[in-house]
Amino acid sequence: MIVVLLTLALSPIAIAYLARHIGSRVFFLASAVALAAFIHALTLSPAVLAGGDAVPVERVPWIPQLQLTLDLRMDPLSWLLTLIVTGIGALVLLYCASYFRRNDPTVGRFAAVLLAFVGAMYGLVVADDVYLLFVMWEATSVFSYLLIGHYTGRRASRGAALEALIVTTFGGLIMLVGLVLLAVQAGSSSIPVILATTPSGALTTTAVFLVLAGALSKSAIFPLHFWLPGAMAAPTPVSAYLHAAAMVKAGVFLIARLAPAFAEVPGWRIVLVSLGLATMLLGGWAALRQTDLKLLLAYGTVSQLGLLVVITGYGTRDTALGAAALLLGHALFKSSLFLVVGIIDRATKTRDLRELSGLGRRLPWLATVATISAASMAGIPPLFGFVAKEATVHGLLGAAGTGDLLALIAVVGVVAGSALTVAYSARFIWGAFARKADVDDSAVPVRSIPFATVAPTVLASVSLALGPLAGLAYVALREVAAPYPRVGGEYEYTLALWHGFGADLYLTIVSVVIGTGLFLSRPLIARIQGRLRSPIDASETYWRSMGGIDRIANRVTTLTQRGSLPFYLAVILSVFVGSTVAALFAARTWPTEFRWWDTPAQVAVGVVMIGAAIAATRAEKRFAALIVVGVTGFGMTALFAMGGAPDLAITQALVEIVTLIAFVLVLRRLPARLGDRHGSSHKVLRAIIGISVGAVMAVVALVAAASRTDDPVSVAWPALATVIGHGANVVNVALVDLRAWDTMGELAVVIAAATGVASLLFLRGRTDVLPRVPRGQLERTVRDRLEGGSDAPQRSAWILAGLTLDPRNRSILLEVVVRLIFHAVIVLSIYLLFAGHNLPGGGFAGGLVAGLALVARYLAGGRYELGAAAPFSAGALLGSGILIATVSALAPLFFGADVMTTTYVEGELWLLGEVEFVTSTIFDIGVYLVVVGLVLDVLRSLGAEVDRQGSRGGLTAGGDVTTASLPQIGGGR
């Protein structure tokens, strides 16, 4: 199962790439991946249906200290949902090959996201741990957002995607609180342990209802049902899969998972039955007034989900059997009908049933497929929908026979809802395929879409076949109902097409008769609906609420975000000082003695740093202020060195140099003098805040040092670095091994920072390739300059882009130095990378050194020289670095070890002698690439892009160079 999950997670990457070359045919490959997962689930059928300890379970320790594991279990309920998710997913992906144009540029993204959604749903249904379940739960919300909003140019599509994301994610966060409470109550996050423990009490009841809130929001249950009809703005394959077979079933799945243990929790049945019946009736009633075939099915789906919640949540053996049958039946007929609507839309360019007429005669096979599926939805024999509907009624009747009034109410509500289902099923067939007297049959042209009917035909055929073969379906589904308690005697109800005459059959006939009457009374129903239209619209209420939140947010932002950085810093630092002082006064431990310094040299460095800090406040020019601020940074470098921390000293010095250069690049676009445009105000207040922050931090350091009661963990780090990390450099081993999780988070922050800097500078669009001058054009430009008789003496080019510079702005000394040291500095950076495990250095320091080499090339030759030195994108470096770090962290899982487990190999190599290689070095290589990518991204943004924006008419959009532009190129360094 883990292999299947990883395949579904990684395949979308390949799918997105292949789509560039084969277009919509990539859906065949994506369908094959989902089909492979379906076949794998089928091969597990004997073990799954055997039940008990025979069900397949896979467990991979993740973070043993936190008792977090990747637990996967394929029990009968998971197996049923897996077959639905992967089987229908494969058919929908196959259908997409004919739905999308072959040269559609969005097919790669769509296919990759849809296949990723299949993987997220697969992970959700086989998850055996509440935290893994939650991760997959939220992943489905994110992928559904991307799929619903596929048409990015349409406002309705974007709005519907955001609506679905907010509702389902908000419900998911509420659910997380409930899952955490249940895990704490049970003492384990394992779902079987929680269900076996069955904790009780007020806290457990609260936790259960918090979980139900997430489940109901996911399955579009009243009053959170409004997001599902809005999601019909998505492409039809999305509706056929997410909103019929997969995503909306997640909430029903979770209810079915919890019901055996928590169905007796006070309020469980009342809440689920009442909300489910309300959803079923409201959805069915709304479906009768829809003229858009897709919206008709959407409201029908809402209605059916209400029925599923009622029957699943009731929590008895027979209702669970009916729920399993209906879960399968609904996925089959509703997916088929959505795909049929997609074919109609593509063939006629409309879904409005008022514009369609006589389509049944022009598309007879499609009409047959749709009629079979709609009849199954209406519960007409001999289709599987009839078997499932009769099973649900029987299960509720069995509970009502024990004197349960709630079950009796549920029976009445289900019969009424089923009548509405019959009515809107007939309305769908009539609206899509029947001839209408007031509509011209030839008004809407019909074009053939070959191969598109394969998927809906397969789904309709299964619905048709499973009716007579209901006994075979029972063999597969009875284990789903096995964990539930029996009510009403020992009689074991089975799925069958014919049970004889009984109350469940009579009620089914009643619902069909009433539903047929409602359909035949369409004009009367339309007039009634026109008069009874509710003044409250759930979707409108949602958008009004969101508008109100936006207005409040704008008001708060106007009051607090004034556009003044000094004001923001003053608020932040004042709150820090106030809260910290309060905490200090509440502290019980104060130092009794002080250790002011270790050596007198530290005092001298401290005095210099204090003087530099004061000088920075008195500086009148920005560059001068920058230099004295840098002095404080290099003072810290000296303190680190005196403290015996060469790694920290090297890193601090390198960071300080890179930071100073970045500041210098920014200063080119700012006035030279401070206060030229906006003079400083409230100087006394600023001084008070600054002094207060410094004093508070000094006191915090003293109090923190005096508050220690146990030996620090760092005492054991030298031994841990040797034993666990196989290295002598404690700092580097800590970064890439002992505390590698921290480093992974820092890499993500670095990438986010690089992206943020670039987004601020690239105004019209971000190109990740630095400009380079074509050699032929460069030669012509230089020849034109020579023929033009430039007064400046011509010099040889020591660097590649030297001839593009204005001779008056060139520094031949800098060019020579950079030419001589660049490759040596790169070699030094690589040495620091590989030597850092035992000597000062490491990936971070080595990356900074390599970045400084690129900085030198840019300073010597401008953006063209940087393009020559780095003929690759910064994004590629950043992505490659985080990918290498992630893969090296996860690789131990494939060898049965924990995440980020380190090992080493050693041996003799010719010329190098004895060599030892630690696997955490691979992680360090990822760090190295990320740091180099960050520096390159800063140079591209604050350097090359600022140069381009600052040049006046010399550089065209395509990067061409003209003679007039050459002085500006050199001056833009």
Side-chain angles (χ1 to χ4, degrees):
M1 289 181 285
I2 289 179
V3 173
V4 173
L5 185 59
L6 288 175
T7 301
L8 290 171
L10 298 177
S11 295
I13 301 174
I15 292 295
Y17 172 76
L18 292 174
R20 302 176 185 177
H21 304 283
I22 61 177
S24 62
R25 287 173 293 181
V26 77
F27 285 109
F28 294 113
L29 298 178
S31 177
V33 175
L35 180 62
F38 176 80
I39 295 173
H40 174 264
L42 285 179
T43 61
L44 298 179
S45 300
V48 171
L49 298 179
D53 296 334
V55 299
V57 177
E58 295 182 10
R59 181 184 180 92
V60 177
W62 184 21
I63 308 178
Q65 296 83 351
L66 299 179
Q67 297 181 346
L68 292 181
T69 56
L70 299 177
D71 293 347
L72 305 179
R73 177 187 296 268
M74 184 78 77
D75 64 6
L77 178 61
S78 299
W79 176 77
L80 172 62
L81 267 295
T82 297
L83 292 179
I84 292 174
V85 166
T86 57
I88 296 181
L91 289 173
V92 170
L93 285 164
L94 190 66
Y95 171 88
C96 290
S98 58
Y99 183 84
F100 288 94
R101 297 189 306 274
R102 177 169 295 185
N103 59 348
D104 190 332
T106 66
V107 294
R109 171 167 55 88
F110 184 88
V113 176
L114 185 56
L115 185 59
F117 183 90
V118 174
M121 277 300 303
Y122 178 86
L124 190 155
V125 299
V126 301
D128 205 34
D129 182 273
V130 293
Y131 298 121
L132 179 60
L133 182 145
F134 172 75
V135 170
M136 296 300 175
W137 185 280
E138 293 299 274
T140 60
S141 294
V142 173
F143 290 133
S144 70
Y145 168 77
L146 297 174
L147 291 169
I148 296 171
H150 174 72
Y151 297 122
T152 56
R154 301 179 185 177
R155 182 177 180 181
S157 181
R158 298 194 304 270
L162 184 61
E163 183 181 58
L165 179 67
I166 290 175
V167 172
T168 57
T169 302
F170 182 70
L173 293 176
I174 295 175
M175 182 189 76
L176 175 62
V177 178
L179 293 176
V180 171
L181 291 176
L182 288 177
V184 172
Q185 288 285 93
S188 172
S189 61
S190 172
I191 293 177
V193 173
I194 293 174
L195 298 180
T197 305
T198 317
S200 59
L203 187 60
T204 298
T205 302
T206 302
V208 167
F209 279 98
L210 290 175
V211 174
L212 286 181
L216 297 178
S217 68
K218 199 78 161 183
S219 290
I221 300 302
F222 175 84
L224 301 175
H225 63 288
F226 55 88
W227 71 264
L228 181 56
M232 294 303 105
T236 299
V238 175
S239 303
Y241 186 59
L242 273 67
H243 308 137
M247 178 176 171
V248 293
K249 296 298 196 317
V252 178
F253 164 78
L254 186 58
I255 294 172
R257 179 65 80 200
L258 299 179
F262 298 106
E264 300 300 328
V265 168
W268 170 283
R269 287 196 177 98
I270 294 176
V271 169
L272 292 182
V273 170
S274 59
L275 292 180
L277 288 178
T279 305
M280 186 180 187
L281 296 175
L282 288 173
W285 182 253
L288 292 178
R289 67 167 177 262
Q290 303 304 317
T291 57
D292 185 322
L293 292 176
K294 199 173 180 183
L295 278 179
L296 189 156
L297 292 180
Y299 281 101
T301 300
V302 170
S303 178
Q304 293 288 303
L305 289 171
L307 173 59
L308 278 168
V309 166
V310 170
I311 196 70
T312 304
Y314 211 86
T316 67
R317 186 264 175 191
D318 287 351
T319 58
L321 181 62
L326 186 61
L327 196 67
L328 174 59
H330 179 264
L332 293 172
F333 61 67
K334 192 55 67 71
S335 296
S336 175
L337 289 173
F338 270 117
L339 296 179
V340 166
V341 171
I343 296 173
I344 294 174
D345 190 16
R346 279 286 186 263
T348 66
K349 301 299 182 182
T350 183
R351 300 193 305 256
D352 194 331
L353 57 82
R354 296 168 298 185
E355 301 175 0
L356 296 171
S357 178
L359 204 60
R361 293 196 301 176
R362 288 187 282 178
L363 298 173
W365 182 254
L366 188 66
T368 302
V369 170
T371 302
I372 293 173
S373 298
S376 183
M377 180 167 63
I380 306 298
L383 298 160
F384 188 67
F386 166 77
V387 176
K389 191 68 66 66
E390 195 175 36
T392 62
V393 174
H394 174 85
L396 292 174
L397 284 174
T402 63
D404 190 339
L405 179 61
L406 184 63
L408 183 60
I409 295 173
V411 170
V412 175
V414 167
V415 171
S418 298
L420 292 172
T421 302
V422 172
Y424 65 69
S425 298
R427 178 179 172 83
F428 176 85
I429 295 300
W430 168 80
F433 299 103
R435 294 191 65 187
K436 305 178 182 67
D438 55 343
V439 181
D440 183 5
D441 291 6
S442 60
V444 177
V446 177
R447 65 186 183 94
S448 175
I449 305 179
F451 190 70
T453 57
V454 172
T457 298
V458 172
L459 294 169
S461 300
V462 175
S463 289
L464 179 61
L466 284 181
L469 299 176
L472 179 62
Y474 173 70
V475 172
L477 297 180
R478 64 184 176 185
E479 291 300 324
V480 177
Y484 292 79
R486 296 177 182 271
V487 296
E490 295 298 323
Y491 167 69
E492 181 175 322
Y493 180 81
T494 63
L495 296 179
L497 186 59
W498 177 252
H499 285 99
F501 294 99
D504 44 0
L505 177 61
Y506 296 143
L507 291 176
T508 301
I509 294 174
V510 168
S511 67
V512 172
V513 171
I514 295 176
T516 303
L518 290 173
F519 168 70
L520 296 176
S521 305
R522 295 188 304 277
L524 176 61
I525 297 298
R527 288 195 297 270
I528 294 174
Q529 287 184 328
R531 294 177 181 178
L532 297 180
R533 188 175 296 275
S534 173
I536 301 176
D537 184 272
S539 182
E540 184 66 24
T541 302
Y542 163 82
W543 285 112
R544 287 180 180 178
S545 301
M546 296 304 297
I549 293 173
D550 287 342
R551 287 190 294 272
I552 293 173
N554 289 335
R555 181 61 177 166
V556 172
T557 302
T558 302
L559 293 175
T560 58
Q561 302 293 313
R562 300 165 53 185
S564 171
L565 290 178
F567 173 77
Y568 300 155
L569 287 175
V571 172
I572 294 171
L573 296 177
S574 298
V575 171
F576 164 75
V577 170
S579 59
T580 307
V581 168
L584 288 173
F585 276 111
R588 299 181 180 179
T589 304
W590 286 83
T592 57
E593 59 182 18
F594 300 96
R595 184 176 180 179
W596 296 104
W597 60 75
D598 292 323
T599 64
Q602 292 176 326
V603 178
V605 173
V607 170
V608 172
M609 293 173 66
I610 293 172
I614 295 174
T617 64
R618 306 295 300 169
E620 296 182 356
K621 292 187 176 182
R622 299 180 190 275
F623 186 75
L626 175 63
I627 295 301
V628 292
V629 167
V631 171
T632 62
F634 286 110
M636 284 301 303
T637 301
L639 291 178
F640 286 144
M642 294 176 186
D647 268 282
L648 294 180
I650 292 172
T651 303
Q652 174 67 28
L654 294 172
V655 168
E656 196 64 38
I657 294 172
V658 172
T659 304
L660 285 174
I661 293 171
F663 271 116
V664 169
L665 294 176
V666 174
L667 290 183
R668 296 179 301 165
R669 300 296 295 270
L670 297 175
R673 299 184 64 85
L674 290 164
D676 276 357
R677 297 181 180 178
H678 305 284
S680 299
S681 59
H682 307 291
K683 295 182 178 180
V684 176
L685 178 60
R686 297 184 183 191
I688 292 174
I689 294 175
I691 294 172
S692 299
V693 171
V696 167
M697 285 304 303
V699 175
V700 166
L702 293 173
V703 173
S707 300
R708 186 182 298 280
T709 57
D710 295 322
D711 291 335
V713 68
S714 58
V715 173
W717 277 27
L720 293 175
T722 303
V723 175
I724 298 178
H726 311 289
N729 186 345
V730 179
V731 174
N732 183 259
V733 172
L735 289 175
V736 300
D737 194 324
L738 302 180
R739 300 189 63 177
W741 279 112
D742 291 347
T743 305
M744 183 71 76
E746 290 164 3
L747 293 181
V749 172
V750 166
I751 293 175
T755 304
V757 170
S759 64
L760 292 175
L761 271 295
F762 289 87
L763 303 178
R764 297 183 178 178
R766 174 169 177 169
T767 58
D768 209 16
V769 179
L770 288 161
R772 281 177 287 173
V773 183
R775 178 174 297 275
Q777 188 175 12
L778 179 61
E779 292 174 351
R780 290 194 302 272
T781 302
V782 174
R783 185 173 60 252
D784 292 342
R785 174 189 290 174
L786 295 174
E787 294 174 355
S790 175
D791 295 335
Q794 301 300 322
R795 301 171 178 174
S796 300
W798 284 83
I799 54 179
L800 294 176
L803 294 178
T804 66
L805 303 175
D806 183 355
R808 294 167 296 182
N809 295 334
R810 290 176 62 186
S811 171
I812 192 64
L813 178 61
L814 181 59
E815 292 182 20
V816 172
V817 171
V818 169
R819 172 68 177 271
L820 295 177
I821 70 170
F822 175 77
H823 298 91
V825 173
I826 294 296
V827 172
L828 174 62
S829 74
I830 296 174
Y831 168 79
L832 291 174
L833 166 64
F834 288 102
H837 211 65
N838 293 290
L839 299 172
F844 196 82
L848 288 173
V849 170
L852 286 175
L854 295 176
V855 169
R857 292 285 292 268
Y858 169 73
L859 294 177
R863 63 184 184 273
Y864 291 105
E865 183 65 19
L866 181 61
F872 39 75
S873 69
L877 284 178
L878 293 168
S880 300
I882 194 67
L883 178 62
I884 291 173
T886 303
V887 170
S888 68
L890 298 178
L893 291 176
F894 296 95
F895 299 93
D898 295 336
V899 177
M900 293 187 175
T901 299
T902 297
T903 186
Y904 70 99
V905 293
E906 57 182 350
E908 292 282 341
L909 289 180
W910 176 77
L911 190 63
L912 296 180
E914 184 176 351
V915 175
E916 180 183 276
F917 182 81
V918 184
T919 55
S920 60
T921 304
I922 302 174
F923 185 91
D924 216 9
I925 293 173
V927 175
Y928 177 91
L929 293 177
V930 168
V931 174
V932 176
L934 171 65
V935 176
L936 181 59
D937 213 23
V938 170
L939 289 174
R940 283 188 331 102
S941 305
L942 302 180
E945 179 62 12
V946 171
D947 290 346
R948 189 193 66 80
Q949 295 179 15
S951 62
R952 296 185 299 275
L955 191 61
T956 65
D960 296 330
V961 176
T962 64
T963 306
S965 73
L966 289 173
Q968 282 75 30
I969 295 174
R973 295 198 305 270

